[in-house]
Amino acid sequence: MTEYGLYIGGKWIKSDSGKTFPTANPATGETLATFQVGTQKDVDKAIEAAEKALPRWKKFPPPKRGEILLRAAAIMRARKDELGKLVTQEMGKILAEGKGDVQEAIDFLEYISGEGRRMLGETTPSELPNKLCLTLRQPIGVVGCITPWNFPMAVPCWKLGAALITGNTIVYKPATLTPLCAATLAEILEQAGLPAGVLNMVTGPAEVVGDAIVQHLSIRAVSFTGSVAAGKDIYAKAARMLKRVGLELGGKNPQIVMDDARMDLALEGVLFGAFGTAGQRCTATSRLIAQEKVYDELLEKLLVRTKGLKVGNPLDPAVDVGPVASAEQENKVLKYIQIGIEEGAKILCGGRKQTGLQYDKGFFIEPTIFEARHGMRITKEEIFGPVLSVVKVRTYEEAVKVANDVEYGLSSSIYTSNVNTAFRAMEDLEAGVTYINAPTIGAEVHLPFGGVKNTGNGAREAGTEAIHEFTEIKSVFIDFSGKLQKAQITE
Ligand code: NAP
C-alpha cells in the first residue's frame, strides 16, 4: 500500500499531524493508497514554498510554461488507459467516462498551453499626442485551488493549467475522496518539468486545509469548484480580505423536449445526461421537461431503456452505471428519494440501494425516475445522483418558466426541430451553457464554462476566459513626447 506525502517545494513530505487517511474504490471498498491528514502548519509550509518559487516562475517565459503543460499532456496521452482506470477505481465512473475525464484534462492542457503565446492585452491610442496606452496581463501571485471529486483529472487540470500558464504558483487541495488522481497529476507535472514549489498539494479535511487556504492572507485568489454551501462559505470569508474568488458550483439542469423534437435523439440525450457518471456531474440532467403530446411516449421508452441499464463495477465494460462516490453520497441520494416519495412524486423505476453479491461492497443506487410536479424539492434541489424527475408542460413558455425556476443556472438543453424555438431558447434559458438537440453534458474545453445565479459568481473556466480568473490587468501609459502632458487638464 503506497503512503503518499504532501507535495511541498518539490518534495513528498509527511504531515505535521502524523496522521493518514485512506482513499478507496467506491465499487469494491478496496483501499487504493493512503494520504496525509494535512494541517494549518502544512498549508503554511506550502504557501512559503509557493512564495519562494513565485519570482522565478513569474519571469519564466509563458511559451516555455506552455511547453511544460504540453509535455504533461503528452505524458497523460501516453498513459491514458492507465489513468482512465485510475479515475474509475478511485471515483467510480465507468471506464469510458474515466478515459473521457483524462481526455478532457489532456485537451485543456493542450489548449491552454497556447495561451503562453497569446495572453492578449490591448493597445489603444491616447487622448494626448505622442503617447501610447496598453494593457498587460500579469499573474496574481500565490493562488489556492480547491477541487471536487467528480472530475478528478479534468477539473484540476482546468484550474492548475490556467493558473500555471499565467505565471501563478499554487497551493492545491484536492477532494478527500480522490487524492490519488491529484497526486498522480502532480507527479506528471513534475515529470514534465514543472519547477519545485510552483505547485504544492496539501491533502486533508475541508475545514482545516481548505479553510487555511481560503483564510491565509498570502493567497491572493481562490479558485473553487464544489457545492453551493461551500462556495458561499468561501466567498464570504475571502470577501473580508478582498480576495479574488472564482466559484463553479452546483446545477439542477433541465432537458426540455418539445412536441416537434426527434424522439430518438431526445431519448438518447436524457439517458446519457441523467445516468452518465451515475448522475454525479455538475451538468447532469436532473429534470426532464416534456411537452404534453410527446410526454407519454417518451416516458414509456425512457422507462424501458432505464430499466435495461446495467449497474455494477465500472471497470466491467458491459456496465452502464457505476456506484455513487461514497457512503455520504449514497445517504444523500437515498434521502432525496425518500423526500420525493413523501412529497407525493410517483416513482416509476428504481428508488432503492442495490444490494446482494458485488453490490454490498460498494455504493450502488438503482437508476431512478420520478414523475413529479414542478415545485417539489426533488425538482428544485441538486441531488447529484442517478435520479431524474420528469415534469409535463403544455407550452414552450411554460417549459422555459419551469426550467428557469430554480436557484441554479449551469447547463440546459432543448430538443426541437423548430429553428425559431431553438433560437428563442438560446436566449431564454437562464444558464451558462445551453445545448440544442444535445444533452446537458458534453462541454468542450475551448468554450467558456460556468453558470449563472447560484451556480457561481460570474467566473468562467476553460476557453479564452480561463486566464481572466488568474490574471491582473495592468494599464500602462507610455509618453514619448519629451514633455509633461496632463490628461483631462486643459488650463
Ligand atoms: P464540496 O463538498 O463543496 O467539496 C468540494 C471541495 O471543496 C473539496 O475539496 C472539499 O474538501 C472542499 N471544501 C468543502 N467545503 C469547504 C470549505 N468550506 N472551505 C474550503 N474547502 C471546502 O463538493 P463535492 O461534493 O466535492 O462536489 C460536488 C459538488 O460540486 C456538486 O454541487 C457539483 O454540482 C459541484 N461541481 C460543480 C462544477 C462546476 O463546474 N460548476 C463541476 C464539478 C462539480 P473535502 O473533500 O475534504 O470535503
Side-chain angles (χ1 to χ4, degrees):
M1 177 75 49
T2 308
E3 178 183 320
Y4 281 81
L6 307 166
Y7 183 59
I8 296 180
K11 296 200 170 66
W12 294 88
I13 61 171
K14 291 213 179 232
S15 160
D16 194 51
S17 71
K19 291 188 196 146
T20 60
F21 67 93
T23 179
N25 183 330
T28 62
E30 170 207 4
T31 297
L32 302 169
T34 57
F35 283 84
Q36 307 295 309
V37 176
T39 63
Q40 161 96 48
K41 262 195 186 165
D42 293 323
V43 172
D44 290 346
K45 269 188 221 157
I47 291 171
E48 267 169 41
E51 281 179 322
K52 200 167 150 215
L54 184 63
R56 190 167 156 245
W57 185 242
K58 256 166 118 169
K59 293 282 178 199
F60 211 81
K64 297 276 173 214
R65 295 180 203 144
E67 284 171 19
I68 294 173
L69 298 185
L70 274 182
R71 278 199 294 275
I75 295 168
M76 293 181 87
R77 197 180 278 287
R79 292 175 58 185
K80 183 175 163 186
D81 287 350
E82 171 218 335
L83 296 174
K85 191 171 166 197
L86 172 63
V87 169
T88 293
Q89 285 175 313
E90 194 177 32
M91 184 271 157
K93 59 178 75 176
I94 60 170
L95 202 48
E97 291 172 349
K99 287 187 206 165
D101 198 323
V102 176
Q103 187 60 49
E104 193 171 326
I106 295 167
D107 290 346
F108 185 70
L109 291 178
E110 288 178 349
Y111 173 79
I112 206 69
S113 67
E115 278 301 328
R117 291 193 181 272
R118 283 189 300 270
M119 229 176 287
L120 303 177
E122 295 171 287
T123 58
T124 149
S126 164
E127 62 190 55
L128 294 164
N130 296 318
K131 193 174 169 191
L132 175 70
C133 311
L134 57 87
T135 61
L136 292 179
R137 285 202 169 272
Q138 297 192 301
I140 295 176
V142 178
V143 299
C145 295
I146 304 178
T147 56
W149 44 263
N150 67 331
F151 274 85
M153 286 283 173
V155 170
C157 279
W158 282 27
K159 293 194 188 304
L160 304 185
L164 291 172
I165 196 71
T166 44
N168 302 279
T169 57
I170 303 169
V171 178
Y172 169 42
K173 179 203 150 12
T176 295
L177 285 179
T178 52
L180 187 50
C181 287
T184 307
L185 190 57
E187 285 171 345
I188 289 171
L189 283 162
E190 183 182 69
Q191 195 191 340
L194 195 69
V198 172
L199 169 66
N200 306 278
M201 185 186 82
V202 184
T203 48
E207 59 281 11
V208 179
V209 175
D211 195 58
I213 290 173
V214 172
Q215 306 253 32
H216 200 293
L217 270 175
S218 299
I219 300 268
R220 290 310 313 151
V222 177
S223 178
F224 172 80
T225 298
S227 59
V228 169
K232 282 183 176 170
D233 179 51
I234 290 169
Y235 208 22
K237 285 174 179 159
R240 289 201 290 270
M241 287 164 274
L242 297 177
K243 283 187 188 188
R244 179 92 66 91
V245 180
L247 300 174
E248 299 292 346
L249 310 177
K252 188 72 190 170
N253 313 293
Q255 175 179 316
I256 297 174
V257 182
M258 302 300 293
D259 284 342
D260 57 24
R262 258 189 52 192
M263 172 78 71
D264 55 337
L265 279 187
L267 179 62
E268 294 302 330
V270 68
L271 266 175
F272 183 41
F275 302 119
T277 321
Q280 301 168 112
R281 289 184 183 225
C282 50
T283 53
T285 308
S286 55
R287 297 178 293 152
L288 175 65
I289 301 170
Q291 216 179 344
E292 55 191 357
K293 280 203 201 111
V294 81
Y295 183 89
D296 288 341
E297 188 186 344
L298 180 60
L299 204 54
E300 193 183 315
K301 290 190 163 149
L302 179 60
L303 281 178
V304 172
R305 291 291 300 277
T306 304
K307 285 177 188 163
L309 292 174
K310 188 167 157 51
V311 178
N313 190 322
L315 282 180
D316 175 352
V319 160
D320 301 299
V321 183
V324 293
S326 65
E328 197 187 342
Q329 268 294 107
E330 186 180 79
N331 288 338
K332 182 180 164 211
V333 175
L334 291 174
K335 192 188 94 194
Y336 266 108
I337 291 175
Q338 191 52 36
I339 289 171
I341 293 168
E342 283 163 16
E343 285 179 309
K346 190 166 152 200
I347 222 163
L348 300 179
C349 71
R352 289 169 307 187
K353 175 177 168 54
Q354 282 206 273
T355 51
L357 298 171
Q358 51 157 335
Y359 297 123
D360 289 341
K361 294 190 179 150
F363 311 112
F364 295 93
I365 296 178
E366 295 171 341
T368 300
I369 299 182
F370 275 110
E371 194 168 32
R373 241 187 3 269
H374 175 64
M376 291 174 165
R377 281 181 67 190
I378 55 165
T379 67
K380 300 199 79 163
E381 297 174 20
E382 187 182 47
I383 300 175
F384 221 55
V387 181
L388 176 73
S389 294
V390 189
V391 175
K392 193 193 283 186
V393 291
R394 272 159 300 152
T395 60
Y396 167 80
E397 286 72 20
E398 191 187 353
V400 169
K401 195 164 170 235
V402 166
N404 288 345
D405 184 30
V406 287
E407 66 171 300
Y408 302 101
L410 183 52
S411 188
S412 56
S413 140
I414 185 164
Y415 281 76
T416 176
S417 341
N418 182 326
V419 70
N420 296 338
T421 309
F423 273 79
R424 281 175 73 193
M426 263 185 241
E427 291 190 356
D428 293 344
L429 288 170
E430 292 171 0
V433 183
T434 292
Y435 293 89
I436 309 291
N437 293 325
T440 58
I441 62 182
E444 297 178 35
V445 302
H446 53 296
L447 266 81
F449 182 84
V452 302
K453 303 198 280 190
N454 277 0
T455 293
N457 61 345
R460 290 289 181 270
E461 296 195 294
T464 46
E465 293 287 319
I467 61 168
H468 296 177
E469 191 177 349
F470 294 105
T471 51
E472 298 280 11
I473 293 274
K474 175 182 274 187
S475 298
V476 183
F477 302 91
I478 306 152
D479 191 323
F480 47 95
S481 68
K483 59 183 180 192
L484 175 65
Q485 301 198 85
K486 296 180 181 171
Q488 293 95 34
I489 297 171
T490 51
E491 288 138 39

